[in-house]
Amino acid sequence: MSTQRSLLPLATAMFAVGTDGFIIAGLLPQIATDLDVGLAAAGQLVTAFALAFAVSAPILGALTSAMTRRAALLLALAVFIAGNAATALGPDYTTVLLARIATAAGAGLIGAAAFSAAAAIAPPQRRGRALATVMGGLTLAIAFGLPAGTLIGGADWRLTLWAVAGLGVLAAIGVAVSLPPITLPADPLRARLAPLRELTVLAMLTVTTLTLAGTHVLYTYIAPALTGATGGSATALTVVLLAWGVGNMIGNTVAGRLADRHPPRAVVTAGLAVAAVLLALSPLVVGNLVAAVVWAVLWGVSVSLPVVPQQSRFVEHAPSASAVLLGLNNSAIYLGVALGGALGGLLQDQLTPARLGPLAAGVSVAGLLVNLATSRRKQVLAS
């Protein structure tokens, strides 16, 4: 079986996870109205999902490390499907919140198993592109799954969650049929968390967290932030989200190739710098639909550039511990999503959603500075 064919079900699983993890941001107004809660409270559904993902991924990864990657993925997808069904059926905010937390546990295990399997399948010289292929499922979800879900959710947000559960079923079928039984060394939780004692690893994880936090300070509240451009139209919002998703696809594809040809930390630096500028400029464009679409494409490219190179950095840092480090990085991604969503929610009384961009830019600049400091430290150690 070819490497590319083996990677396809992993990308499919990440497509389901990506659609689920980000779709709530496009449905906040509908969810808030239906569950009779405020916009900030609805936004915390994103935060709760992301935080549960970040915390559960290393724990469940350790508990299932002795399983084949195929068995772990099938278990994770079963939890993921059940969680989305429970979310769609949830009659009140508390039930939906608990269902999102359960769904996140399945999603966290999917991410950890998928990326570690991709790193094991691919030869070293094509590892960056293999990781980009799996990450491509996530970016495809952002490009097409997220806008489609937002459009469906314009009629009933619960239909979107049923559609995501269906994606989980398709992913499970693909994993069962196409993924070979990959076995990796079993690691206890203590071994999985051991790299956190290493300053370089902790700094790189901080870069990942701040990168995603900067994005999600604004992105979590993107629907209300773009009201001036969309006029509340689900169709217009879908167009902007599609533009952002296309930018993510472009950035992900470029990032995989750049990570194989250039120092990954340099690619991360470039992406963070451009993202910070675009976020700072966001209040100038979110009131006009054409400007918002162009801006969304560029923002999508910039925010996706650091993701794959960060994964490559961890694999290069300790190839024998790549499964552990990629799992921790995946947790850092969703910790960043949680922190960004929480920060944006806390500031709803001080800033309108359309004014969150400059704050998000500040978080991205913090990530850029940590990344530059990490690069300088490695250069000092090398000399």
Side-chain angles (χ1 to χ4, degrees), residues 334-361:
Y334 278 86
L335 178 60
V337 174
L339 291 175
L343 182 58
L346 287 172
L347 293 173
Q348 290 291 307
D349 292 336
Q350 287 77 36
L351 294 171
T352 63
R355 297 291 175 182
L356 289 173
L359 173 66

Side-chain angles (χ1 to χ4, degrees), residues 31 53 62 89 114 132 178 207 239 257 282 311-312 318 363 376 378:
I31 293 173
F53 186 115
L89 294 170
S178 302
V207 172
V239 170
R257 295 183 180 277
S282 64
Q311 293 171 329
S312 294
V363 178
R376 285 197 296 270
K378 292 184 72 173

Side-chain angles (χ1 to χ4, degrees), residues 212-221 339-341 343-345 356-357 359-360 363:
L212 274 296
T215 299
H216 285 271
V217 165
L218 177 60
Y219 187 78
T220 302
Y221 300 95
L339 291 175
L343 182 58
L356 289 173
L359 173 66
V363 178

Side-chain angles (χ1 to χ4, degrees), residues 265-278:
R265 65 178 180 272
V267 184
V268 174
T269 296
L272 281 169
V274 176
V277 172
L278 290 168

